[in-house]
């Protein structure tokens, strides 16, 4: 699996956009970028994923650079409930069982 | 929305007890997973199942077994609980596009 690099921690003001970067310079052509988050004492929550194109859903937007070596997760209007550890994962889309490997992630704190 | 439920949020057991952790998903997913999460060690895969009665060992299967008698239910069994199995246990179900949906977790304390 390709490795990812994320900042250890970030702060963002409530109501502002939170932009979480992720470097994945060794990503392979068949690997997707997935984002999950884990709020304290809860199970990880899927946020979004993408291959090449930018993606948006009701939770967030994912911007992937043209060379695919990095990406940014954008929470457009952060709330206090978005305080969590955010994990960027690269993995191929395969059939059968797929193991997710979570790194250390970015601890995002939303401040009032 | 996909829902993955786990039988208990918190559990306290004694050393040597047999422990059952149950997980149920409501999306007819074929693949289900059991992880444990410990501070500084991240998520580690214990077992996974890709169909009813089918299972494969993950990275740390020792001391654990699993059961998948029905598609929606995946059980983790600690045959004889030990203190080093104190952990947060997470069940996940895999949907389309490789996304995994996690349950709320069971925090197990073995005394």
């Amino acid at each position: 699996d390709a490795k990812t690099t994320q900042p250890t921690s970030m702060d963002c003001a409530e109501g502002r956009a939170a932009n979480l970067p992720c470097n994945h310079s060794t990503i392979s052509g068949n690997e997707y970028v997935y984002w999950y988050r884990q709020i304290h004492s809860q199970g990880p929550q899927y946020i979004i994923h993408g291959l090449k194109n930018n993606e948006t859903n009701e939770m967030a937007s994912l911007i992937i650079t043209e060379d695919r070596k990095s990406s940014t997760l954008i929470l457009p209007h952060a709330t206090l409930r978005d305080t969590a550890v955010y994990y960027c994962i690269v993995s191929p889309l395969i059939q059968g069982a797929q193991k997710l490997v979570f790194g250390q992630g970015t601890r995002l704190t939303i401040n009032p | 929305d996909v829902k993955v439920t786990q039988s208990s949020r918190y559990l306290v057991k004694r050393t040597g007890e047999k422990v059952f952790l149950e997980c149920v998903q409501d999306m007819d997913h074929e693949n289900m997973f059991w992880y444990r999460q410990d501070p500084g060690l991240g998520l580690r895969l214990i077992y996974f199942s890709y169909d009813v009665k089918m299972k494969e060992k993950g990275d740390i299967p020792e001391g654990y077994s699993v059961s998948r008698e029905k598609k929606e239910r995946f059980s983790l069994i600690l045959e004889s609980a030990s203190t080093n199995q104190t952990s947060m246990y997470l069940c996940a179900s895999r949907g389309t596009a490789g996304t995994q949906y996690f349950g709320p977790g069971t925090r197990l304390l073995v005394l």
Side-chain angles (χ1 to χ4, degrees):
Chain A
D1 290 349
K3 291 185 178 178
T4 62
T5 304
Q6 299 177 253
T8 303
S9 63
M10 292 182 65
D11 285 86
C12 180
E14 189 178 18
R16 304 297 292 268
N19 297 286
L20 293 93
C22 180
N23 285 321
H24 31 80
S25 58
T26 59
I27 191 170
S28 301
N30 66 337
E31 288 183 315
Y32 287 70
V33 180
Y34 294 86
W35 282 85
Y36 285 76
R37 73 180 182 184
Q38 189 168 22
I39 295 169
H40 183 62
S41 294
Q42 296 184 25
Q45 179 187 22
Y46 164 76
I47 301 173
I48 199 168
H49 76 283
L51 182 63
K52 293 182 187 176
N53 300 321
N54 298 337
E55 302 287 345
T56 295
N57 63 20
E58 64 279 2
M59 287 183 70
S61 295
L62 174 61
I63 309 297
I64 302 173
T65 58
E66 195 167 337
D67 63 7
R68 303 210 323 125
K69 292 186 177 181
S70 65
S71 59
T72 301
L73 178 75
I74 301 172
L75 308 177
H77 304 288
T79 70
L80 298 178
R81 285 180 288 184
D82 292 321
T83 292
V85 179
Y86 286 77
Y87 298 98
C88 169
I89 301 160
V90 292
S91 178
L93 181 64
I94 57 175
Q95 295 300 315
Q98 175 187 3
K99 181 178 72 173
L100 284 179
V101 179
F102 286 72
Q104 296 305 307
T106 296
R107 185 172 296 278
L108 176 67
T109 302
I110 307 300
N111 300 307
Chain B
D1 278 354
V2 176
K3 192 160 187 181
V4 179
T5 57
Q6 294 184 228
S7 49
S8 306
R9 289 301 308 273
Y10 301 95
L11 212 51
V12 180
K13 295 291 180 181
R14 297 221 173 263
T15 301
E17 278 193 78
K18 191 168 187 175
V19 182
F20 292 87
L21 302 182
E22 300 249 307
C23 174
V24 178
Q25 51 96 2
D26 65 356
M27 283 301 292
D28 203 36
H29 289 164
E30 291 182 348
N31 297 299
M32 296 185 73
F33 305 78
W34 274 107
Y35 295 87
R36 64 178 281 179
Q37 186 174 34
D38 301 285
L41 296 177
L43 250 65
R44 292 182 290 169
L45 181 65
I46 304 171
Y47 266 97
F48 61 88
S49 169
Y50 48 93
D51 204 348
V52 175
K53 297 190 186 296
M54 307 302 282
K55 59 188 179 185
E56 290 286 340
K57 293 179 180 179
D59 298 320
I60 51 164
E62 297 78 19
Y64 303 94
S65 62
V66 290
S67 172
R68 185 112 180 255
E69 296 296 319
K70 293 184 178 181
K71 196 173 188 180
E72 67 271 19
R73 190 179 298 269
F74 191 34
S75 302
L76 180 70
I77 302 152
L78 286 67
E79 296 290 343
S80 176
S82 63
T83 54
N84 63 12
Q85 292 178 310
T86 290
S87 186
M88 169 78 128
Y89 289 87
L90 291 159
C91 174
S93 168
R94 176 178 174 268
T96 57
T99 53
Q100 286 193 13
Y101 298 92
F102 287 82
T106 296
R107 199 169 286 281
L108 172 68
L109 173 61
V110 182
L111 300 173

